[in-house]
Amino acid sequence: TTARVASSHAARGRRSAASSARTPRASPSAAASSSDDARTSADFEALFAWLAQSHGVDCSKVSVARDDVAGWGLRARKDLGVNECALSVPRAAWVTVDKAKADGEIGAAFSDAQYNLASWTTLALYVLKERERGDKAKFAVYAKTLPRTLDAPLFWSAEELAMIAGTQLLDNAAGYDAYIRQVYDDLSKDFFVK
């Protein structure tokens, strides 16, 4: 499997919990800048070292770079030929639903039929747990390279959302917002206390 690379962006704002279900809940906040991103090149170098040492991944064709606009991302070290693989990460290094369900501490909850968790929810919760575990986590070096915040309409301030008023994108963001809040409300009743 060939890794596809997308750069991350700094978040623009956090949202509050007060608003209607169909409207993305946002409160005006100062826009976060890329300077809010605490990740360093050392974090990505540690990830490359882990991939190479633990999984035999050849990371020699790519390097990590930070752009003031796009944030962190991979760049090819040289021009790549047509169909030339830049980076291939074996399944053993992937964070998967099966690995989440096999986790000795929280895996049983992910498999519990009463929660009926979507795959993306299981993965998100597992990555959050790995981040909480810190350096002892199986995927610690990977977790350190993930952004703390995201730049997506789901996380935009009210002012930013106003700029896309009347578009399908705003409707989509409102729908995702309502869905995610409902999933969180359902899980907070008893999943998070296990």
Side-chain angles (χ1 to χ4, degrees), residues 69-150:
V69 176
W72 289 102
L74 289 183
R75 289 189 181 152
R77 293 183 187 269
K78 64 175 185 77
D79 289 341
L80 299 173
V82 174
N83 295 324
E84 182 178 357
C85 179
L87 181 70
S88 179
V89 179
R91 184 176 285 275
W94 297 359
V95 176
T96 66
V97 171
D98 288 339
K99 288 177 184 169
K101 289 181 176 181
D103 184 89
E105 184 180 350
I106 58 173
F110 291 139
S111 300
D112 193 326
Q114 80 173 356
Y115 300 116
N116 193 27
L117 297 176
S119 295
W120 70 266
T121 307
T122 300
L123 289 172
L125 292 170
Y126 182 55
V127 168
L128 288 172
K129 186 63 176 177
E130 285 289 277
R131 182 173 267 170
E132 178 187 278
R133 290 173 174 154
D135 292 337
K136 296 178 182 175
K138 178 176 182 177
F139 294 102
V141 292
Y142 170 67
K144 285 183 179 179
T145 64
L146 297 175
R148 293 274 178 194
T149 56
L150 300 173

Side-chain angles (χ1 to χ4, degrees), residues 160-167 170:
E160 290 166 320
L161 289 170
M163 292 188 281
I164 60 169
T167 68
L170 181 61

Side-chain angles (χ1 to χ4, degrees), residues 47 71 126 143 177 183:
L47 175 62
Y126 182 55
D177 180 86
V183 168

